[in-house]
Amino acid sequence: MASKCQQKWDVRNWDEAAYKVRLQADREESTRIVYAARLAPSSDFVATASSNGSVCLYSVASCLASQSMDLNPKTAQLEMEPFLSFSRHDGAAYDLQFYGEDDDAILLSCGDDGKIQGWHWKRIEQGDFSNYSDGRLQKPDFILANPQQKGLRGALAPVPEINAIATDSQEGYVFSATGSGHAYCWDLEREKIITTFEGHSDYLHCICSRPSQKQVITGSEDGTVRIWDCRTAETIAILDAHKAAKVTKSPKGKLPWVSCVAIDSSQKWLVCGTGGNCLTLWSLLSFDAVTRICTVSTPQAVTIENSKIMTVGALPYLSCFTYNGDVISRIRIAPSSALSISAYSSGVCIVSGYGGLVDIISEFGSHISTFRCK
Amino acid sequence: MKTPYDALSATRSTIEEILAKILFIKKESRNRAELRELFTQASVAFLNLRQINRVILQEEDHVKQETEAAKLPVDHTTLQLNNLLYEKSHYLKAISACKDFKSKYPDIELVPVEEFYKEAPDEFQKDSTLRDDPHKEMLERLNFELYQRKELCKQQELLEARKKMLQESIAARRKFLSSLPSHLKTLKKASLPVQQQLGILHTKRMKQHHLADLLPPPLYILYTQLSALKEAFNENIELEIIGSIKDAQALVKQQALKESGLNHGGNEENKIEEEIPEEEEELQRRRKRVKKSHAKESSDEGVYHSHPLTVVWHIFDEVVDGGKRTKLLSVRFEYLMRLNMVCAGVEGDRHGPLELLTNLFPDDTGMELPTQAAKLSAGVEFQYDVNRSCHPYKWAQHLAGVDFLSEVPPLVSEGHGPSEFSKATSIRHGLSAYRKQHRVQTVLEKLRSRKKAHLALRGQLDTLSNSKLPHCVYIEVPWGPYKSKCFLHSWAEVLRTGLPKPPASLDDAPSLNMVSSSAEGLEISPVNGLESLREDGELPSAAMMLTPASKVPKFSSLMQKKLYSVKERSHAKRVPFTQAKEAFTMLNNDASVDFKDLGALDDDDDMILEFAGSPMDNTNADDIEESTNFEKVSAWEECGSRTFNAVFRGEDSETGKIIDLEAQVKIFSEHPVRPPYFELRQLTDEVTPSLPSPPRGVLTVTEKAYDMPPSSLLAFSDLRAMEKEVNSGIIQLLPTSHENEILAQQLSMLAMLFDAYVDSRLRSCDQHHPPLSVGATGTTNVHELTARSIRGRDRQMQLC
């Protein structure tokens, strides 16, 4: 960072304005948050969505190559230039997902500007960078824009952000959890909203789809988790994640927000994390709470992989639990507060969060690669 | 006709015949009668003869007369002839004389013809006859030349006269001059008090310029460039050379002797010495003082041996108010001869020179020797003594032109070798680059703004030390008119004894202590949660070592060995480490907030991890934590920084609950270019809200055996969001002209943010949050009119 170009900065040809710009850029970089980091279908790349609105691809291979060069832990904080950047969201980019398999995959990103941008992975893989300029891809292949709600006297409310997206590639659906408290089901073919899920009394933090039952699960700032039927847009169940109880309507009084929801691969278990420092595990067969785990910090992202509940929160640790709530492991991770975790069947998991840090962790808890996004 | 002579000869012959006949008759005596006849005949013949004779005579006379008459014209003509002949000879003589006449003209160096035609008046040039007649031409040329020469003569006379006049005046002036020095001396002496009074230190400056000759080249360049700046731009700066002249001269002499064996500069020095005596007494006093201060430093004389002369640069404020200049600071430059480098220090300010000059430009702490050559000559082990008042900043080297002077020996000799020329050119190039780069102006600007920023900062810190928020002049910012509900509860500097060390030398255990004893709000937490957490953080890596999948089983024996030694070391370190931590009052159980200062100490722990983990695990826990939470700041940026601890206290108006926000404020030496860096923590924690009891049948498990960190009102992300605003968001909002009050602005911004976040979080805790989908629910209550206050994955406040 500073040491790289210090040659430039001395009394000879001093340029104070440029120096200030650089300091500012450094500071901004240090406060960057990577909201989501996911492995691309071809596994060679990690896609990230970060607080400055950028959606980038990082080459894992080059991370590994540069990582092994420097064994000094003090300087091992690798800074990676993105392999490819996509057009920026206005405001932060909150989530990204890959839709579909292999060649037909689509990279979807969403953000504070209330838009979902989609890129066909095939084009990226084939190196079709026809609208590539200024270091980034200029136009997404399609944009799905959030509808604006009408408020008092017909005035349009501010564009609600999209905090999370989930996919159902069998049906061709994309679900978005928005700041207006609505969740939407988009038909990707027609690029149209086909279902609107409304009922939450505050904005949505997270969403996940349960394709086998045609259900969508949303977690909201109002402290509840709702399970929806995709076909009817009806609420099937309302869960109070904090009290670990099933309720019939949104409870009065403020509950800690639901920050994350996840289901396991068998689609029988649901785990959700709340701002009240706990994770609750639910059986989706009966919508009953099974386990409540009091966590050290606020869980901010959770996933279930291989019958392990993996969660990250406002502490630099990745915790793994069994369904009974026993701790399997606690792994120190790079970001001091992580906002995203994605686990893969190979055992690799990627966490990302504050400081623009992305940490790729192996099955055994060793850090395959840690880098700071540039 | 018969001529008389014929008649005479005929008569005489007749007489002779008659007489011959008489004689004959007489002789024969014959007839005398015939004799008579004969006699008569004879007498007649005689008569005849007489007559003829007369005629002849007459004739003769006549001829004579005639001749006489003819003689006169002859004589006249002869005379005339003679005259003419004479005349002729005279003419001939004259001609020959004329012919023999020698003209002077071939000797005269005439102007060539061409030139004549060029310069002569038009009448000559137009006159074509002139060209045909060389004689006339010559004449004209001569005339013209004569004319010209006469003119020149006149001119010469004039000039001569002037010359004479000038010579006279010169003589007069010389006379005056010869008496002037004594006049001047008296004047100088007389003017000294006046100069002192008026502050025009002319005499002093002359002396200074004189002294400048004795400066070593780097200081000389520095001096000349600075004084050039002063004179060219009329900058409000002063320069002064301080030190012992004698020592300097001795040094020059020594150098000269060393260089050539001949004392080149002898004359010059003598001259200098002549002028010194009067200044000597004054210097004597000064030198004593200098020597005293030098005595302390002379212990390390070898490396720190400095040139006896130093340059002091007084910098005044640009704005002159009422004729009085406010002095900002004085910078002293000294030259270390052995290391060939220039050191700079703030004059008179012995305890804080580092702060002011350090990192004037990025990565310029003054702790390291700036040039490779200096490093070599000082040796590998050498560490610059941080307690010296002057430090070898890079900008000082650049200011002194050491970067292009480096090949030149410390003192430029008087020699004129062939290499001397190339050196001179290289210096010339260097100097021209030097000027083009505006080095002096840049440094001056930087120093001025730095000093002003410092003064402003000091004012702000003074206010803060009374636990008051400093006043902000610029209020065109969102928080400008805002009256904060929270107040500054305490403000204290976190002192570090000794000066910051380079990161490599961790051998002396740094002790951290807190100055403020009045900070009753700060509690020393008895349980060192941080450490326990940290150790916990090591667990996975330690466990990893045992897993068969660990990629480096071969290293295990080596690792064990190393671990042993490291452990030993770390035990030795642990004591000061924990002490320091305990002294560091901001500790609590929130392990995610670590402080940079501790980060430096954590090296021990790092080392354990370094050896314990697999190579992949190199990005060990502490390191990662450090670099995520804080701006990545390497050692040089830290140098000269000060850390303060501020506590904001807010109160919940309804419940009377007190919420403390602690801000660790790091003010960098580059302030305000690099704005103060805030690290936030919520200090007073609420009692951990117990989770509501779940319905029967739900298994409740708590993650950890040890105490959980109590949840705080402000989440981690809230604090980070506030940090982000305060640390980086503010830079765009604050204009450069008000840069100096950035700390005050940051604090008042923080106060506003704190209020806003506390309000928002309290409200979201205690009250029912308004439903957002107004249209959808159809119900209207008061809350619906309020806008959404939080948004996004990390629940960021919506700030307008």
Side-chain angles (χ1 to χ4, degrees), chain B residues 132 146 294 413 473 602 755:
Chain B
D132 305 331
L146 182 67
H294 271 282
S413 64
V473 180
D602 284 350
D755 279 354

Side-chain angles (χ1 to χ4, degrees), chain A residues 1-2 6 9-14 16 19-20 22-24 26-28 30-31 33 35 51 64 67 70-77 79 94 112 150-152 158-161 163 179-180 182 198 200-203 205 221 242-245 251-254 257 259 276-278 289-297 300-301 314-317 319 321 324-327 330-337 339-340 354-355 357 359 364-368 370 372, chain B residues 360-363 394-395 398 403 436-437 439 442-443 446 533-534 536-537 540 544 547 549 590-592 599 603 606 610 614-632 634 636-637 668 670 673-677 691-695 697-704 706 708-709 711 716-717 720 724 727-728 731-732 736 739 746 764-776 780 785 788 790-796:
Chain A
M1 201 155 68
Q6 59 181 251
W9 308 108
D10 66 35
V11 62
R12 298 174 285 192
N13 300 321
W14 172 245
E16 180 141 333
Y19 183 62
K20 277 186 182 164
R22 213 202 64 188
L23 282 181
Q24 168 79 2
D26 284 355
R27 284 236 162 138
E28 264 167 20
S30 72
T31 58
I33 304 163
Y35 285 111
S51 58
L64 292 177
Q67 193 90 2
D70 194 350
L71 289 173
N72 180 2
K74 279 278 171 198
T75 55
Q77 195 58 255
E79 277 177 36
Y94 285 126
D112 208 36
K150 281 205 173 155
L152 285 177
V159 179
E161 79 278 13
N163 283 318
S180 61
H182 296 78
E198 54 178 83
H200 276 294
S201 62
D202 208 333
Y203 80 92
H205 275 283
E221 175 75 17
H242 193 59
K243 286 205 188 92
K252 293 249 176 205
K254 176 68 186 172
W257 72 101
S259 57
N277 286 11
C278 70
V290 178
T291 314
R292 186 169 70 176
I293 305 162
C294 297
T295 50
V296 178
S297 61
Q300 286 170 335
L315 282 179
Y317 294 101
S319 303
F321 303 99
N324 292 329
D326 300 330
V327 177
R330 255 163 71 83
I331 300 162
R332 188 79 196 232
I333 53 171
S336 56
S337 168
L339 282 151
S340 133
Y354 277 92
L357 286 164
D359 204 349
F364 309 105
S366 59
H367 298 268
I368 294 172
T370 303
R372 182 192 288 274
Chain B
L360 198 60
F361 295 91
D363 198 8
K394 282 177 197 151
W395 61 263
H398 290 139
D403 47 339
K436 263 182 223 154
Q437 289 161 349
R439 291 188 191 180
T442 311
V443 170
K446 281 293 261 180
L533 255 186
R534 180 187 312 286
D536 209 72
M544 247 182 303
T547 56
D590 189 357
S592 64
D603 271 14
D606 290 352
E610 187 183 343
S614 67
M616 280 304 168
D617 202 11
N618 274 331
T619 48
N620 69 64
D622 292 336
D623 190 41
I624 289 161
E625 181 180 317
E626 204 172 285
S627 46
T628 25
N629 279 359
F630 312 111
E631 191 184 20
K632 201 171 150 192
S634 40
W636 70 264
E637 286 139 327
F668 296 93
E670 285 175 283
V673 176
R674 186 186 291 273
Y677 193 79
L691 287 169
S693 55
V698 177
L699 187 65
T700 303
V701 189
T702 305
E703 187 188 354
K704 284 297 152 192
Y706 61 81
M708 285 206 313
S711 70
F716 178 87
S717 53
R720 295 296 88 76
K724 182 177 178 178
N727 285 331
S728 102
I731 304 173
Q732 283 138 358
T736 335
E739 207 175 40
Q746 279 178 311
S764 72
C765 273
D766 299 339
Q767 295 163 16
H768 174 70
H769 203 73
L772 283 156
S773 44
V774 180
T780 38
L785 298 174
R788 256 177 90 193
I790 50 172
R791 184 181 170 109
R793 283 288 314 280
D794 51 352
R795 305 178 82 235
Q796 282 197 24

Side-chain angles (χ1 to χ4, degrees), chain B residues 28-224:
Chain B
E28 279 184 7
S29 315
R30 281 199 301 188
N31 204 310
R32 294 199 135 169
E34 278 177 63
L35 240 338
R36 244 338 41 196
E37 222 268 0
L38 288 175
F39 208 66
T40 22
Q41 273 178 341
S43 308
V44 170
F46 269 111
L47 282 164
N48 249 352
L49 195 55
R50 243 178 115 173
Q51 203 185 349
I52 294 173
N53 194 28
R54 201 186 288 138
V55 169
I56 287 179
L57 278 171
Q58 274 178 340
E59 222 165 87
E60 200 181 301
D61 266 0
H62 183 68
V63 168
K64 259 188 186 170
Q65 269 176 354
E66 247 176 46
T67 308
E68 205 69 14
K71 211 176 160 182
L72 199 68
V74 167
D75 278 353
H76 184 73
T77 315
T78 309
L79 195 66
Q80 227 171 355
L81 176 69
N82 279 338
N83 275 346
L84 284 171
L85 281 174
Y86 180 76
E87 209 173 338
K88 180 191 165 192
S89 75
H90 172 76
Y91 280 128
L92 283 173
K93 229 186 231 169
I95 285 165
S96 72
C98 281
K99 273 184 178 168
D100 287 349
F101 174 75
K102 273 214 164 170
S103 166
K104 261 194 179 167
Y105 96 86
D107 301 335
I108 301 168
E109 287 171 9
L110 268 180
V111 184
V113 190
E114 300 85 40
E115 212 171 300
F116 164 72
Y117 278 114
K118 237 185 267 170
E119 284 177 11
D122 287 347
E123 45 184 308
F124 294 132
Q125 293 190 10
K126 281 169 194 157
D127 194 355
S128 56
T129 56
L130 211 59
R131 295 199 188 235
D132 305 331
D133 187 350
H135 179 68
K136 205 173 167 191
E137 183 191 72
M138 178 58 77
L139 279 179
E140 289 301 341
R141 275 172 68 190
L142 283 171
N143 282 338
F144 183 63
E145 182 126 0
L146 182 67
Y147 166 75
Q148 274 183 324
R149 285 186 186 209
K150 270 182 184 160
E151 285 295 308
L152 285 173
C153 276
K154 264 187 220 161
Q155 215 171 326
Q156 190 197 10
E157 257 170 49
L158 271 172
L159 288 174
E160 290 278 358
R162 210 161 139 232
K163 183 181 161 194
K164 207 176 162 192
M165 223 167 68
L166 287 174
Q167 266 169 347
E168 271 166 21
S169 74
I170 284 168
R173 279 175 199 193
R174 199 162 273 163
K175 212 169 159 191
F176 172 69
L177 269 182
S178 62
S179 66
L180 191 61
S182 58
H183 280 295
L184 279 180
K185 255 177 205 170
T186 52
L187 187 66
K188 213 157 104 182
K189 263 184 196 157
S191 75
L192 272 175
V194 183
Q195 284 186 28
Q196 213 78 39
Q197 197 65 37
L198 295 179
I200 313 161
L201 302 169
H202 183 74
T203 320
K204 205 170 160 199
R205 209 175 67 190
M206 289 312 293
K207 258 186 233 168
Q208 295 286 315
H209 282 310
H210 204 77
L211 269 174
D213 290 342
L214 293 169
L215 286 173
L219 284 185
Y220 183 77
I221 285 184
L222 186 102
Y223 180 80
T224 48

Side-chain angles (χ1 to χ4, degrees), chain B residues 512-529:
Chain B
L512 302 156
N513 52 44
M514 196 67 174
V515 184
S516 157
S517 53
S518 67
E520 68 270 15
L522 310 176
E523 285 161 340
I524 297 169
S525 70
V527 182
N528 202 332

Side-chain angles (χ1 to χ4, degrees), chain B residues 333-390:
Chain B
F333 295 96
E334 62 178 31
Y335 176 64
L336 300 189
M337 288 192 286
R338 238 196 80 187
L339 300 176
N340 184 28
M341 62 187 193
V342 175
C343 293
V346 173
E347 184 88 324
D349 188 10
R350 273 204 72 98
H351 85 105
L354 261 175
E355 229 176 276
L356 202 59
L357 300 183
T358 301
N359 291 341
L360 198 60
F361 295 91
D363 198 8
D364 196 1
T365 58
M367 297 294 174
E368 263 179 49
L369 302 185
T371 57
Q372 213 57 41
K375 273 183 200 158
L376 277 177
S377 67
V380 191
E381 302 284 297
F382 183 74
Q383 285 283 346
Y384 194 83
D385 180 9
V386 288
N387 292 319
R388 273 176 63 86
S389 60
C390 293

